[in-house]
Amino acid sequence: TPLYSSAASDVYKRQLMSAEHSEEVALVTGGGSGIGAALCSHLAGRGTKVWVADVDEIGGQRVANDIGGTFVRLDVGDSDNWAGVLDQVEDAFGHLDALALNAGIMIRPQGENTEDDVLPWILKNHEKVVSVNLNGVLLGILGALHLLEQSARGRIVVTSSGVGLKPLESDPVYSMTKHGVIGLVRSIAGPLAERNVSIGAVCPGGVDTPMMSADVRATGRKIASASNMASSLISVLDKPLSLIHI
């Protein structure tokens, strides 16, 4: 006969996890929806103090309210905006344990069909996509490094994409930025490790988020849930530094 019921054991495990992560501070970009919102929820559920960063003030504040976190408006492509947000984190806690660089956009407006000619969209929007998807990752790493170094073990996880490993004709610029993110993560991992900061990337395929286009959604192909992808991001954050593969 077990000493504890299964339900009681689960409660005990959650209490231990909450205590383990109660001093942990995390910042999640793109935290107002999709994978970012799910990740914020997962982190808060285990006791982490979560900063929800997004340009979407309504969505970001809603997520922060739901999880008991802190919302900050952040355009990840703006270095001054990064500095201001990280100053707030430093003033509040003096360190940052986990940074999830998850914000991303595609060349077309969110949810638009991908069956039209992509070249006019590239001419119109390529600078913003590069700013968010690629520059935003580098600015986040460099800007937050001094706070991550104040942690016992600073960790960074980046949301790349499966199309960072293969082409995407319907959105070449998105694919380009995700290839660039993978190259950055692989190349900067060594210098960060010397500072006791780990970095890893996750490359999702199709995920059920507002970014998914209507025509892709209509194909009925199997897509992952945002919650499952958030679990994958957490598994990268939780790996010991020695197990992060470049």
Side-chain angles (χ1 to χ4, degrees):
T1 303
L3 183 60
Y4 301 104
S5 70
S6 176
S9 178
D10 288 344
V11 169
Y12 180 63
K13 288 176 182 177
R14 286 196 296 271
Q15 289 173 338
L16 285 178
M17 181 175 291
S18 180
E20 178 184 353
H21 295 282
S22 63
E23 300 304 316
E24 185 176 76
V25 181
L27 188 148
V28 180
T29 69
S33 64
I35 296 171
L39 178 59
C40 289
S41 179
H42 282 236
L43 289 168
R46 67 183 197 173
T48 300
K49 299 175 179 67
V50 180
W51 291 69
V52 183
D54 208 302
V55 291
D56 176 4
E57 297 184 29
I58 295 174
Q61 189 63 66
R62 181 172 59 246
V63 172
N65 291 343
D66 287 346
I67 67 170
T70 302
F71 171 70
V72 283
R73 188 188 185 282
L74 175 61
D75 174 356
V76 295
D78 184 331
S79 58
D80 291 336
N81 200 172
W82 265 113
V85 165
L86 292 168
D87 282 348
Q88 292 182 58
V89 176
E90 185 168 20
D91 289 345
F93 297 105
H95 70 281
L96 183 66
D97 301 290
L99 174 64
L101 297 167
N102 169 77
I105 60 174
M106 301 189 82
I107 203 72
R108 295 174 179 82
Q110 187 166 276
E112 284 281 324
N113 285 347
T114 62
E115 297 168 336
D116 60 352
D117 183 3
V118 71
L119 292 180
W121 289 113
I122 292 175
L123 290 169
K124 182 179 180 182
N125 294 330
H126 70 278
E127 290 182 351
K128 184 61 176 177
V129 176
V130 172
S131 176
V132 172
N133 294 3
L134 190 53
N135 295 348
V137 172
L138 181 59
L139 291 175
I141 294 169
L142 298 180
L145 182 56
H146 70 290
L147 292 178
L148 292 162
E149 288 181 294
Q150 299 306 311
S151 169
R153 186 175 70 83
R155 295 104 71 204
I156 305 170
V157 65
V158 182
T159 305
S160 183
S161 171
V163 300
L165 302 168
K166 60 183 181 181
L168 180 64
E169 291 187 2
S170 63
D171 197 337
V173 178
Y174 182 80
S175 180
M176 175 187 76
T177 60
K178 295 304 183 177
H179 274 80
V181 162
I182 292 170
L184 173 61
V185 169
R186 286 173 167 166
S187 301
I188 207 168
L192 291 178
E194 294 174 2
R195 292 161 174 80
N196 200 37
V197 174
S198 68
I199 187 168
V202 173
C203 299
V207 183
D208 187 9
T209 74
M211 279 182 65
M212 177 163 283
S213 65
D215 56 309
V216 172
R217 193 179 295 277
T219 64
R221 77 182 192 189
K222 187 175 181 180
I223 56 177
S225 70
S227 181
N228 283 345
M229 289 315 309
S231 296
S232 297
L233 293 169
I234 284 182
S235 72
V236 173
L237 287 174
D238 285 349
K239 282 186 178 180
L241 182 61
S242 60
L243 293 181
I244 298 292
H245 297 293
I246 302 169

